[in-house]
Amino acid sequence: MNCILDHVGYLTDDIQKTSESFRLLGYQRDDIVDDNTQRTRICFLHKPGETTIELVEPYQDNKTMQKLLKRGVTPYHTCYALDDIKAAYEEMLDNDFTPLFKPVPAPAFGNRLICYFWKADVGFIELVEK
C-alpha cells in the first residue's frame, strides 16, 4: 500500500483550550468543522515543516469517544493519505485490521473519503483518500 503520514489525531474535550496549548508550541489553528456523521468537532493545527495535528472533540452523545476521553487529552490515531481508499480498505481487511466503518465522506477533508481501522499492535489507523 502506497501511503504517507497525513496527521496525528488528538482526542480532546475542549478544542479551544487544547489548540491554545499547541499555539505556544508554534502551531496555527484552522477553523473548527462539525462532523455530524462522526459526531465530532474537528480542527487541524499546522506548523511549517512539522506533522499536522488534528484535534477531535466528540459530541456529548458520542459515547464511544467520550469513554476514550476518560484517559484525558491524548494522541489516539495516526492518519495516512493514499490514492485508492477502496483498494486500501480491502487490503487492510486481508491483513486482519478490524474496520470501524466503511469509507465515508468527511467534512473536515472537503468530503474526501475516510475510514478507520483498529489492530492491537498499532492502535487506531485512519485512511484518507488524496
Side-chain angles (χ1 to χ4, degrees):
M1 185 179 329
N2 186 15
C3 58
I4 59 169
L5 180 64
D6 187 77
H7 67 266
V8 174
Y10 275 73
L11 191 57
T12 180
D13 60 348
D14 187 336
I15 282 178
Q16 191 72 30
K17 183 177 175 183
T18 302
S19 66
E20 281 300 311
S21 294
F22 276 103
R23 186 186 61 76
L24 294 172
L25 298 171
Y27 284 86
Q28 298 297 313
R29 188 184 91 190
D30 287 348
D31 292 334
I32 296 171
V33 176
D34 285 302
D35 186 333
N36 293 321
T37 301
Q38 302 298 315
R39 309 299 300 151
T40 58
R41 299 176 71 223
I42 295 167
C43 82
F44 292 96
L45 307 176
H46 303 280
K47 181 178 178 179
E50 299 291 336
T51 300
T52 297
I53 293 173
E54 177 188 34
L55 299 181
V56 180
E57 180 184 324
Y59 291 177
Q60 288 300 314
D61 65 354
N62 185 332
K63 300 298 182 202
T64 301
M65 293 184 85
Q66 288 292 339
K67 285 180 193 175
L68 291 173
L69 263 176
K70 290 182 180 179
R71 297 183 300 184
V73 174
T74 184
Y76 82 102
H77 79 266
T78 53
C79 178
Y80 298 89
L82 39 76
D83 291 324
D84 187 348
I85 198 166
K86 291 177 182 174
Y89 184 88
E90 295 302 323
E91 190 171 345
M92 297 290 274
L93 291 177
D94 291 344
N95 285 280
D96 299 321
F97 281 79
T98 302
L100 276 64
F101 52 84
K102 291 184 177 183
V104 296
F109 289 102
N111 287 319
R112 289 182 285 147
L113 297 176
I114 66 161
C115 59
Y116 273 83
F117 288 89
W118 165 260
K119 192 168 184 178
D121 57 345
V122 295
F124 290 106
I125 300 290
E126 179 182 19
L127 301 179
V128 61
E129 197 162 63
K130 290 182 186 175

